[in-house]
Structure formats: structure tokens, C-alpha cells
């Protein structure tokens, strides 16, 4: 039908509109303080996990699955930490 050819155009048009600069819509200061609070929480969680994992008796007594879950979770936290730090840098440099 006649509509089949219109669809891709409409979608392409939408894609372009999505790439509007976000900074115009966010309150940068508010976003910065939210991200810094989040970073602080991540640091606490990372420190806690590192202490747990460097605790010999936890590592030797806990089931392997629990230990590897903690390690996985530490990796995730570190990745979040990196990504939040980058966002903070970007906002500060604007």
C-alpha cells in the first residue's frame, strides 16, 4: 500500500529530533549535586565490598557462588562509578 514507503521517512525524522542537546532541558547544578551524592554512595558501597572481599575468613567460608556474586557486583559498582564520574566532569566543563 501507499503507507509502506512513508514509514522509514517518519522514523528517520524522529531520530534526528531525539539528538537535541539535553543540557537545555536539565538544571545543571541540580544534576551535579544529584550525581555527586550518587558518587558518594557508590564509593561507600565499593569500599564495603572491597573490605568484605579482602577479608580472608569471609572469602574462605562463604560459598564460591556468593563470593563471585560479590566480585561481580563490585565490578558493576566500579563501572557505574566511572560513568558517573565522567558525567560529572562533562557537566563541570560545559
Amino acid at each position: 500500500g501507499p503507507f509502506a514507503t512513508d514509514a522509514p521517512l517518519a522514523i528517520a525524522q524522529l531520530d534526528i529530533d531525539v539528538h537535541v542537546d539535553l543540557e537545555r532541558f536539565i538544571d545543571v547544578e541540580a544534576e551535579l549535586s544529584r550525581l555527586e551524592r550518587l558518587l558518594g554512595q557508590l564509593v561507600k558501597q565499593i569500599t564495603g565490598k572491597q573490605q568484605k572481599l579482602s577479608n580472608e575468613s569471609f572469602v574462605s567460608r562463604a560459598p564460591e557462588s556468593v563470593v563471585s556474586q560479590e566480585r561481580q557486583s563490585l565490578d558493576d559498582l566500579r563501572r557505574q562509578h566511572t560513568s558517573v564520574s565522567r558525567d560529572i566532569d562533562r557537566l563541570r566543563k560545559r
Side-chain angles (χ1 to χ4, degrees):
F3 295 113
T5 51
D6 290 345
L9 276 177
I11 290 164
Q13 208 60 51
L14 278 175
D15 271 352
I16 293 160
D17 290 341
V18 172
H19 298 291
V20 177
D21 189 0
L22 273 177
E23 297 227 331
R24 269 179 267 169
F25 301 110
I26 63 173
D27 173 346
V28 175
E29 290 310 313
E31 185 65 4
L32 262 175
S33 65
R34 184 184 75 81
L35 288 170
E36 277 162 358
R37 272 201 309 277
L38 180 58
L39 198 65
Q41 287 164 1
L42 286 166
V43 170
K44 276 202 202 95
Q45 289 178 299
I46 287 169
T47 310
K49 296 240 182 259
Q50 282 171 335
Q51 281 168 348
K52 206 174 191 180
L53 286 165
S54 61
N55 175 339
E56 229 10 85
S57 70
F58 167 73
V59 175
S60 58
R61 291 202 190 120
E64 179 51 44
S65 62
V66 172
V67 176
S68 66
Q69 202 172 10
E70 287 290 315
R71 291 208 172 102
Q72 182 59 59
S73 147
L74 179 58
D75 282 348
D76 291 344
L77 288 167
R78 284 184 174 140
R79 268 196 296 277
Q80 286 176 43
H81 184 281
T82 304
S83 129
V84 171
S85 301
R86 270 198 211 114
D87 289 346
I88 290 175
D89 285 346
R90 247 203 335 265
L91 287 173
R92 284 209 182 111
K93 286 196 187 97
R94 79 193 186 287

